[in-house]
Amino acid sequence: MNVDGADEEAGWEGPEDETQAVVEAVGRQLKLWRKAAGMRPAEFAALMGYGENLVYKIERGVRIPRPEYLDKADEVLGAAGKIAAMKEDLEQATYPKKVRDLAKLEAQAVELGAYSNHNLHRLLQTKEYAQALLQTWRPAYSQDEVERMVAARMARRSIFERSPAPSLTFVQEEVTLRRPLGGTMVLRRQLEHLLEVGQLRNIEIQVMPTDREDNAGMGGRIQVLKFGNGSAVGRDEGQATNGPISDPKEIRILELRYGIIRAQALTPRESLAFIEKVLGET
């Protein structure tokens, strides 16, 4: 049987929004399947290879079962795929609501432009980089919270696989390419990933060198998403509220600022050469 630490990895902390009802419903179904099979929690846990305490938590809806937990339960209880099918119901519940909302917008966008000054944009992060970054935050996240957020970031990368492909542009401050979050090997793999992504025809990555005298991005991160119907939504870290922007006048100002930032940064071709140089120095 797994030790307690391994048991913790079989589920995430419970959700904090409307998805709680979904998680509780899945937990009830798991309990009903277990009881119908005539198994006590201890017996079921032993066959599953997880702790009895985790079984209780999942059945009460306190923990979100991981996909592999549901697959194993389906096998142990002879559910013929009915339990495994619940993975689809839980897929959205895994991620925080604000992340799901952002992912929905990204899934609809035909254009995305983003300037990042402290960290690499989330869509560009490797799993190891994202994990290392989240582990630096204070107050510290629990390991479950880190895993949830990393999974959410990785799921958002499906935007790269869309067809027709959206136009994606990113401007990164030089420091984001040099900060060794997670250690040298994590940074090297992250830089290699940027070089791979930068080769895609619908993606342009630009670098803002630290020695630039003029930098219109000193006010903080910005992002603009444009949609097929002509509407747009943006975010500006320099705003007092830091909330979403949808007013056309404010969007135009944000687009103007982003355009200036892109003009001040290295070109996409120069940027890939710069990233390759940093990789060689790492």
Side-chain angles (χ1 to χ4, degrees), residues 9 32 35 71-72 135 159 200 231 266-267 274:
E9 295 180 358
L32 288 171
K35 294 181 78 171
D71 286 335
K72 184 64 176 179
Q135 287 173 340
I159 191 173
L200 299 176
S231 64
L266 298 175
T267 67
F274 189 93

Side-chain angles (χ1 to χ4, degrees), residues 11-17 19 23 63-64 66 90-100 131 134 142-155:
W12 288 282
E13 289 298 329
E16 298 178 354
D17 51 46
T19 59
V23 178
R63 299 292 295 274
I64 304 174
R66 287 179 175 276
L90 288 174
E91 184 177 1
Q92 295 300 319
T94 302
Y95 312 130
K97 185 177 185 299
K98 63 181 180 180
V99 176
R100 297 200 309 272
Q131 188 169 33
L134 289 166
S142 69
Q143 189 58 35
D144 285 328
E145 289 173 319
V146 170
E147 290 183 11
R148 278 189 76 194
M149 288 185 283
V150 169
R153 293 189 183 189
M154 296 305 100

